[in-house]
Amino acid sequence: MAKLILSMDNLVLKDIGLDKERTTIGRKPHNDIQIDNLAISGEHAVVITILNDSFLEDLGSTNGTFVNGQAVKKHFLQNGDTIELGKYRLKYVNDAPAAASAPDFERTMILRPGQTVKPAAPVSDEPPRAQTPPPAPPPPAPPSTAASPVGAIKVLTGGNAGKELELTKSLTTLGKPGVQVAVIARRPLGYFITHVEGASFPIVNGQALDAQPRKLIDHDIVELAGTKMEFFIKS
Amino acid sequence: MDIANALEIATQTSPGMVRSHNEDAVLTLPAYGFVVLADGMGGYNAGEVASGMATAVLGSELEKAFATKSPQTLDGNRTWAQVQLEAEIKRTNTSIYQAAQSQPQYAGMGTTLVCAVFYDNKVTVAHIGDSRMYRHRGGELACITRDHSLLEEQISAGIITREQARHSQNKNLVTRALGVDPTVEPELHDHDVLPGDVYLLCSDGLNDMVEDEEISMTLGALSANLPVCADQLIGQANDNGGRDNVSVILIKVKNAFPAARNGGSWWSRFWAWLTK
């Protein structure tokens, strides 16, 4: 379950579990999270929780609601977001995927009508255009490809001799379509060359490939459609 | 044009990097231009049973149906393909539902489904749940099914954007599935098909792990060799973590496949004349 950690001046005041569909925040005592401070409006904001996702909505507060330094009207909370209300901070913690010990966590499940959680209505008194959603944080980088060293191909013969091609994309096709084409795939374990089309197969270090991908090693010589090229790892 | 010669089909499936079972099932009937993919769910091995039943029952029933009448034959104002697809999906639903009710070890099992019949220069697509069908045409990738999932409903309702949905923790919650209720409503659509199109049917193990841009690039780069393309897609999903079973069916349209004159509608004859 996701939770909010209330703090002021880096001093943790309390944890609030987001176990309800609506968790209200404000100065008045009927709020789920009451913050008795004049900088906080009576009904300041609400956190709407739909299963594992939580949305923060400002309820037209006088001093506004900020997430990670930006004023928000409506915000889809991401793990680690810090909500600022006056001098108070509410850190949103939702590490469900990591914490879930059940191996079934990511299994597809059927949401039956009986258990449907009513999605909260979008902010109604706000023209939808006006709320530009804050840019979502970048998706987690695909593991390791980015970290692995970059390879390149240097053409040795023919009209393009001397040219270099960096293999930064996850797939690079080489050759002439309809005649002979091979693809070099960039994977976490390195670069792999595979035959794609054409009657003859690419030759690596004098040996023709079969239908299986072959891992490329620094300074391998590849022959494709009559052109020789060298694969190497850029330092 | 014989449908089996007009289409090239490749399939691949993998349990992924985390799961021990593969609960996905794929089946193709090239002679009838039919492909189906199912992603099962349910305890122990019930998910495999549900997805396996879905593809096997649907495949054998449609094979019988299309052997008696060709898919483009009109039945009222709908084609035989549409009528049969809908009817057989509903019957398959009943079979799975009854098995789940009668066998305690299968209680609660169900499956998603995406299937397609290619005929007469078009394709009829039916789906339930979050297994998808994409079309790659002219370098552009388009998802031609809309998931029956909580996320997709939230996107439609304007609660979250498609961009935000990628970071949602509410993935894998489908709002429709085969075999979980006595009745089911499959979603059916027809699409025009052009030579050069590449179609992809996949389980969520692919589109949850591989971005659409990557899928598009792979289809564009490797459409000349569908088996390599299918292996590459599976490899990308597994390289990115492979947290779920992942399955793909690829269909490349090599030629147009208008229906034979006598069986076709006036429109298909007119279309055939136009595109002669």
Side-chain angles (χ1 to χ4, degrees), chain B residues 84-104:
Chain B
Q84 285 303 305
L85 211 49
E86 182 161 353
E88 293 306 337
I89 288 172
K90 289 184 172 176
R91 273 176 59 177
T92 306
N93 180 71
T94 307
S95 305
I96 299 173
Y97 181 71
Q98 284 172 351
Q101 295 295 307
S102 59
Q103 311 274 338

Side-chain angles (χ1 to χ4, degrees), chain A residues 30-51:
Chain A
H30 62 78
N31 285 289
D32 297 306
I33 303 175
Q34 191 204 358
I35 303 176
D36 196 4
N37 181 289
L38 283 174
I40 312 293
S41 295
E43 279 100 25
H44 196 106
V46 61
V47 175
I48 295 157
T49 302
I50 302 173
L51 301 176

Side-chain angles (χ1 to χ4, degrees), chain A residues 62-170:
Chain A
T62 309
N63 295 321
T65 301
F66 294 79
V67 175
N68 304 332
Q70 276 194 315
V72 298
K73 278 281 168 226
K74 187 152 190 265
H75 175 79
F76 179 17
L77 287 166
Q78 298 292 315
N79 186 28
D81 277 353
T82 301
I83 305 165
E84 294 149 48
L85 311 158
K87 284 186 292 180
Y88 292 81
R89 302 260 181 287
L90 278 160
K91 187 170 180 182
Y92 175 71
V93 179
N94 181 8
D95 46 10
S101 50
D104 280 2
F105 182 76
E106 286 203 42
R107 269 177 201 271
T108 304
M109 293 198 301
I110 306 150
L111 191 64
R112 310 296 289 271
Q115 68 187 77
T116 305
V117 180
K118 263 265 172 283
V123 190
S124 49
D125 55 350
E126 186 83 9
R129 292 283 160 68
Q131 12 167 329
T132 28
S144 47
T145 349
S148 60
V150 175
I153 282 283
K154 187 177 182 181
V155 182
L156 300 176
T157 61
N160 289 322
K163 280 201 179 155
E164 262 185 43
L165 176 64
E166 265 195 40
L167 304 169
T168 49
K169 292 191 294 180
S170 64

